[in-house]
Amino acid sequence: ILGVNGSGDWIPAAAGTAVQPKRWAIEREYMGGDYNTAYATGDAVKVATTPPGVRINALIANTVNVAKGGLLEVGATAGTLRPVTTGVPVAVSLEALNNTSGANARLRVEIV
């Protein structure tokens, strides 16, 4: 999920922040990438604005466990979501995830 810095550039939103409208960096298929291809600093970012009810494939940080139906907020790791602890929900999980893989993982979520 994206925020904007003082220069007007897209940046990963800070952990726990309320982001309105909800904007997401989306895959770079036009550059031969997929949803696992990271943007580099200075890249033009392809952005989607998602109203409530839209389902996306979100990034969940390593070591985070998510329950099906659990509310999710902006995570502490850039571009990720985590179960709500201190912030404002941005999505609800459509499946459970026990992410002990050693890397970030994908999870189907619905925007709230």
Side-chain angles (χ1 to χ4, degrees):
I1 192 160
L2 299 173
V4 178
N5 68 13
S7 300
D9 296 326
W10 296 113
I11 59 171
T17 57
V19 179
Q20 294 294 335
K22 294 169 184 82
R23 295 184 180 111
W24 306 84
I26 58 176
E27 62 271 6
R28 303 176 62 185
E29 76 281 351
Y30 62 93
M31 296 286 292
D34 62 16
Y35 62 78
N36 287 314
T37 304
Y39 284 95
T41 301
D43 282 353
V45 178
K46 192 173 180 182
V47 176
T49 301
T50 52
V54 170
R55 294 178 174 193
I56 67 167
N57 193 4
L59 195 60
I60 306 298
N62 181 37
T63 72
V64 173
N65 296 324
V66 178
K68 183 176 181 178
L71 293 174
L72 303 168
E73 67 182 3
V74 178
T77 305
T80 64
L81 298 180
R82 67 180 181 203
V84 171
T85 57
T86 60
V88 177
V90 295
V92 62
S93 173
L94 297 174
E95 54 196 359
L97 174 68
N98 181 357
N99 187 18
T100 58
S101 67
N104 294 337
R106 296 287 172 177
L107 181 69
R108 290 181 313 121
V109 303
E110 184 173 307
I111 306 306
V112 295

